[in-house]
Amino acid sequence: MFLPSLQSAAACLLAVLPVAYAETHKYDFDIGWVRANPDGEAERPVIGINGAWPIPMIDVTVGDRIVINAHNSLGNQSTSLHFHGLYQNGTNHMDGPGGVVQCGIEPGSTFTYNFTVEQPGMYWYHSHSHGQYPDGLRGPLIIRDPDFPYQDDVDEELVLTLSDWYHDEMDYLINELFMVKSNPSGAEPVPNNALMNDTINFKLPVKPNTTYRFNVVNVGAFAGQYLWIEGHTMRIVEVDGIYTESADAEMVYLSAAQRVSFLLTTKNETSQNFPIVISMDTIFPNASFVDELDPFDDMTLIPYDRMELLPEPDRIVQFDVMMDNLHDGMNYAFFNNITYVAAKVPTLYTALNAGEEATNPAIYGTYTHSTVLEKGEVVQIVLNNLDTGRHPFHLHGHAFQAVYRSEEDAGTFGDLNIKESGLSQIPMRRDTVVVWPTGNIVLRFRADNPGVWLFHCHIEWHIVSGLIATFIEAPLDLQKTISLPSNHFEVCKAGNVSTEGNAAGNTDDYLDLTGENHPPATLPPGFTPRGIVALVFSCVCGILGVAVVGWYGMSAPVEDTALQQGVLGNESSGDSPADQQCRDETTVTAASTSAGRA
Ligand SMILES: *[C@@H]1O[C@H](CO)[C@@H](O)[C@H](O)[C@H]1NC(C)=O
Ligand SMILES: *[C@@H]1O[C@H](CO)[C@@H](O)[C@H](O)[C@H]1NC(C)=O
Ligand SMILES: *[C@@H]1O[C@H](CO)[C@@H](O)[C@H](O)[C@H]1NC(C)=O
Ligand SMILES: *[C@@H]1O[C@H](CO)[C@@H](O)[C@H](O)[C@H]1NC(C)=O
Ligand SMILES: *[C@@H]1O[C@H](CO)[C@@H](O)[C@H](O)[C@H]1NC(C)=O
Ligand SMILES: *[C@@H]1O[C@H](CO)[C@@H](O)[C@H](O)[C@H]1NC(C)=O
Ligand SMILES: *[C@@H]1O[C@H](CO)[C@@H](O)[C@H](O)[C@H]1NC(C)=O
Ligand SMILES: *[C@@H]1O[C@H](CO)[C@@H](O)[C@H](O)[C@H]1NC(C)=O
Ligand SMILES: *[C@@H]1O[C@H](CO)[C@@H](O)[C@H](O)[C@H]1NC(C)=O
Ligand SMILES: [Cu+2]
């Protein structure tokens, strides 16, 4: 590692304080209910940390160690934390999903996350249990890089979160509105609002003629966000922690869980404020306000390291995304014909205990949708979206190459016969990518990170309805590298969860799945409520919907009085002229009560 750059005094002062040695950042997180009212419309219980919400940003430097003592004070729900986008190379057991790589942390229990970060960029952390993060347990995680390739161009750096927001708690939304018989179409609850940095009154005072690096993350549950800043061009330099060749964009689209980092130079004039606009995409029936939304196409990005297309795959995994009803009348999400149901024993523990049998996918159960990968092989995911909504797909433990994405309504790759020549040769890499309605995507990655990694849609509603599959990557190598801290067993004991055996908890015969967790039975053939539903959606989904447009003032530029108002830290107090001018025509809502599928 090297010392702070000396080329630019501004960069030195404002950016990173790079360190030449790795630090350990220790956090004591007491996770509990607090009350908050971020949009001023409805105070509600939210999940905070140490009695406060929004939860803290984790701010570290490449090479550092993060140690988090996560104590669950919720009283009525278990929890766990996932660090989205981090490879957790060698520390799969710190990845977070409850029932997959650990037991949920029961109320009253403490679990220690302990891992190093070797990747720079913008990430986030969130609960990975019970569809819980939209209740507030989500926040930014940034990993600073003393070697950031565009550092010389940057004067100041900032972090910005975007999110949809509900006035009701997830437990209610899931159990009373979403996963209920009276919602056979699986219509997702409609967000009540959109937030920027967890407020609707976001103002960003900036200096004139100054280049800011914006690190933006969509920490929302459901809605993608279009983002633009009037009168300014965004120069994209990173997506999902992968540096890119710089690319100019007038508007970007961030699905739930995606991140973008861009450089933006403010104008050399102080006469005007510029709105920062986010427009929430929930594919509602009615479009509104913005004539046309034409965001930058992330598939055209080129990674800064110009890593070439991986060789032809050793293994192809096909996932056909479908929504359908099961016998309980509710709507479930399927990869092929499987809707995910967690195993009785966290899948990682099964992999660690199964000896040679760990390479047999059957032991992980019928409904974890497990695929075992061999160390080092090139894996290709072919995902056919048979559904009429957009879905952002996320793979844990890797950034994949997004080698192909079809237009909307392109149909499917039935025969998996994809022409190599049709793929981008220096494909964009990221950890979350959106597939368009009834289209497809092709992703490629190398199985170079032994572990149990989920692949799932990042719309929290679809996690709840089962749009999850599991990769068991190089389990025999995993057995050699992971030894579980005793803390893992304590947490499972508190929840009465077995840590031994196959998916059904059977220890004698790993192939005996008697008693495994399973979804409701399938409907008898011929019973197709889905047919009617599909018809309805085909009417509404042709329209690119925009329901809520939030206008936020960006008081820019002002005369060298930036950093005031406690927004970015603060150096002066009182209203600047710019603040008074600030456009703040808060949220215009055109939300309807019914939503199409997103
Ligand atoms: C858990 O407790 C919080 C705070 O009292 C409450 O708002 C919430 O509804 C409870 N959730 C459940 C599932 O009981
Ligand atoms: C974190 O892990 C490192 C490496 O295994 C170990 O040395 C250290 O003691 C751990 N710290 C805590 C608090 O568990
Ligand atoms: C947004 O919130 C984060 C904390 O979550 C804070 O560090 C950051 O400074 C805020 N960004 C702006 C531009 O105010
Ligand atoms: C803006 O700042 C740059 C240096 O950062 C300077 O070279 C340039 O002349 C400035 N432009 C104006 C219009 O002031
Ligand atoms: C804009 O640029 C001009 C010419 O370089 C300079 O004289 C003026 O001070 C600049 N204005 C601001 C607000 O920086
Ligand atoms: C899904 O389909 C495959 C192939 O037809 C079949 O072997 C498997 O049992 C089915 N799984 C479920 C959960 O229905
Ligand atoms: C994990 O670490 C191994 C060994 O250092 C390396 O070869 C591999 O590329 C890493 N994988 C990821 C996804 O970081
Ligand atoms: C675990 O089992 C014990 C004893 O049977 C019981 O008291 C406790 O409530 C159970 N805990 C959970 C989380 O189910
Ligand atoms: C949506 O459009 C329909 C038809 O134009 C109209 O009747 C309905 O009121 C609109 N709904 C909303 C919420 O604007
Ligand atoms: Cu989805």
Side-chain angles (χ1 to χ4, degrees):
M1 308 198 90
F2 73 80
L3 291 168
S5 137
L6 299 174
Q7 292 101 325
S8 156
C12 269
L13 271 175
L14 295 163
V16 188
L17 300 183
V19 283
Y21 52 89
E23 270 186 71
T24 295
H25 300 261
K26 229 180 145 177
Y27 303 85
D28 289 315
F29 281 177
D30 189 21
I31 299 167
W33 294 99
V34 297
R35 294 185 73 79
N37 187 1
D39 63 0
E41 288 178 13
E43 188 181 290
R44 49 156 293 184
V46 300
I47 300 178
I49 287 179
N50 300 336
W53 188 88
I55 64 174
M57 173 161 93
I58 296 176
D59 189 344
V60 301
T61 300
V62 180
D64 287 354
R65 177 174 293 278
I66 293 175
V67 176
I68 297 173
N69 295 311
H71 180 73
N72 181 357
S73 294
L74 291 170
N76 56 11
Q77 289 178 16
S78 65
T79 191
S80 69
L81 294 179
H82 170 57
F83 307 88
H84 183 113
L86 300 192
Y87 302 145
Q88 298 288 10
N89 200 340
T91 48
N92 182 218
H93 55 304
M94 298 299 171
D95 192 46
V100 182
V101 299
Q102 67 167 97
C103 294
I105 311 166
E106 290 296 324
S109 289
T110 302
F111 186 88
T112 300
Y113 294 95
N114 177 0
F115 53 89
T116 57
V117 290
E118 310 297 344
Q119 342 156 221
M122 188 63 201
Y123 301 89
W124 61 303
Y125 69 109
H126 61 83
S127 163
H128 215 302
S129 291
H130 307 301
Q132 188 179 60
Y133 82 73
D135 279 336
L137 192 48
R138 80 286 185 285
L141 187 169
I142 188 164
I143 303 172
R144 314 278 182 175
D145 179 8
D147 297 336
F148 176 57
Y150 301 94
Q151 193 59 48
D152 290 353
D153 297 347
V154 178
D155 299 315
E156 304 200 16
E157 185 165 8
L158 53 89
V159 167
L160 185 62
T161 67
L162 311 179
S163 183
D164 48 21
W165 188 248
Y166 291 90
H167 290 161
D168 293 299
E169 289 170 54
M170 287 302 278
D171 183 65
Y172 166 79
L173 293 172
I174 293 168
N175 296 309
E176 307 290 331
L177 288 185
F178 182 56
M179 292 305 286
V180 290
K181 250 189 224 179
S182 53
N183 182 27
S185 68
E188 299 81 1
V190 178
N192 298 96
N193 230 328
L195 305 177
M196 260 189 206
N197 250 29
D198 291 323
T199 175
I200 56 160
N201 293 310
F202 181 72
K203 294 188 179 81
L204 178 62
V206 293
K207 296 177 193 165
N209 194 26
T210 302
T211 299
Y212 289 83
R213 178 179 178 193
F214 282 71
N215 300 290
V216 190
V217 52
N218 182 351
V219 299
F222 176 32
Q225 303 281 357
Y226 297 88
L227 168 71
W228 69 98
I229 298 174
E230 279 192 11
H232 293 77
T233 297
M234 299 175 258
R235 190 178 156 207
I236 297 172
V237 292
E238 174 198 321
V239 287
D240 296 1
I242 306 292
Y243 296 145
T244 65
E245 293 191 351
S246 84
D248 287 348
E250 301 304 320
M251 177 188 285
V252 291
Y253 179 83
L254 285 186
S255 74
Q258 286 185 324
R259 292 88 64 205
V260 66
S261 176
F262 58 83
L263 309 187
L264 178 144
T265 303
T266 53
K267 291 185 190 301
N268 172 36
E269 56 175 81
T270 57
S271 58
Q272 211 192 330
N273 293 325
F274 297 94
I276 304 175
V277 186
I278 57 172
S279 169
M280 190 157 72
D281 166 24
T282 44
I283 315 213
F284 291 166
N286 291 10
S288 62
F289 305 121
V290 182
D291 296 340
E292 197 186 344
L293 290 170
D294 184 19
F296 185 86
D297 178 5
D298 61 336
M299 291 295 287
T300 63
L301 289 169
I302 297 171
Y304 188 81
D305 61 12
R306 299 187 71 88
M307 178 181 159
E308 285 176 18
L309 177 65
L310 285 164
E312 288 193 42
D314 301 299
R315 181 188 303 273
I316 296 175
V317 183
Q318 180 176 345
F319 292 126
D320 290 351
V321 175
M322 287 171 271
M323 306 283 174
D324 209 345
N325 297 88
L326 290 177
H327 208 268
D328 60 2
M330 300 182 201
N331 192 270
Y332 290 83
F334 299 80
F335 278 133
N336 308 333
N337 54 351
I338 299 173
T339 188
Y340 180 90
V341 179
K344 281 192 169 160
V345 174
T347 306
L348 171 63
Y349 302 165
T350 297
L352 294 178
N353 287 323
E356 292 285 318
E357 274 182 300
T359 59
N360 184 344
I363 68 169
Y364 303 104
T366 316
Y367 303 101
T368 59
H369 207 154
S370 290
T371 304
V372 175
L373 305 178
E374 277 174 38
K375 178 107 192 277
E377 68 181 350
V378 173
V379 182
Q380 177 154 296
I381 297 174
V382 176
L383 186 142
N384 295 317
N385 181 13
L386 309 184
D387 184 59
T388 50
R390 299 174 173 189
H391 301 269
F393 284 99
H394 171 49
L395 175 62
H396 289 225
H398 294 271
F400 44 71
Q401 292 185 329
V403 301
Y404 181 81
R405 172 166 60 201
S406 77
E407 298 296 319
E408 192 165 332
D409 297 328
T412 61
F413 280 116
D415 57 0
L416 304 182
N417 205 0
I418 290 150
K419 281 208 189 72
E420 285 297 302
S421 59
L423 307 179
S424 28
Q425 296 303 301
I426 304 181
M428 187 255 301
R429 295 201 305 286
R430 60 188 316 167
D431 60 48
T432 307
V433 71
V434 177
V435 64
W436 304 133
T438 56
N440 53 64
I441 45 175
V442 180
L443 315 175
R444 215 172 258 192
F445 66 97
R446 191 180 286 284
D448 60 1
N449 189 10
V452 172
W453 307 115
L454 293 184
F455 176 75
H456 63 85
C457 175
H458 218 294
I459 288 176
E460 199 65 349
W461 305 114
H462 302 164
I463 295 261
V464 169
S465 62
L467 205 46
I468 304 177
T470 311
F471 287 109
I472 319 286
E473 185 169 334
L476 301 182
D477 292 84
L478 189 60
Q479 290 171 355
K480 288 179 215 142
T481 51
I482 301 265
S483 75
L484 297 174
S486 58
N487 194 208
H488 272 254
F489 301 105
E490 292 156 19
V491 166
C492 295
K493 202 168 168 209
N496 297 333
V497 177
S498 167
T499 56
E500 286 181 356
N502 65 7
N506 292 326
T507 50
D508 296 338
D509 179 1
Y510 270 72
L511 291 172
D512 176 6
L513 290 165
T514 311
E516 72 173 326
N517 292 337
H518 59 83
T522 50
L523 284 168
F527 187 86
T528 52
R530 179 68 188 150
I532 302 156
V533 171
L535 194 71
V536 174
F537 282 121
S538 69
C539 301
V540 299
C541 287
I543 307 160
L544 184 64
V546 180
V548 180
V549 178
W551 293 85
Y552 296 84
M554 175 185 176
S555 43
V558 299
E559 280 174 29
D560 217 6
T561 52
L563 312 180
Q564 83 276 43
Q565 287 293 88
V567 176
L568 280 176
N570 51 69
E571 303 220 324
S572 70
S573 52
D575 287 353
S576 71
D579 279 318
Q580 286 150 16
Q581 292 167 20
C582 193
R583 276 164 75 174
D584 192 7
E585 306 151 7
T586 35
T587 311
V588 186
T589 303
S592 60
T593 45
S594 69
R597 207 184 277 301

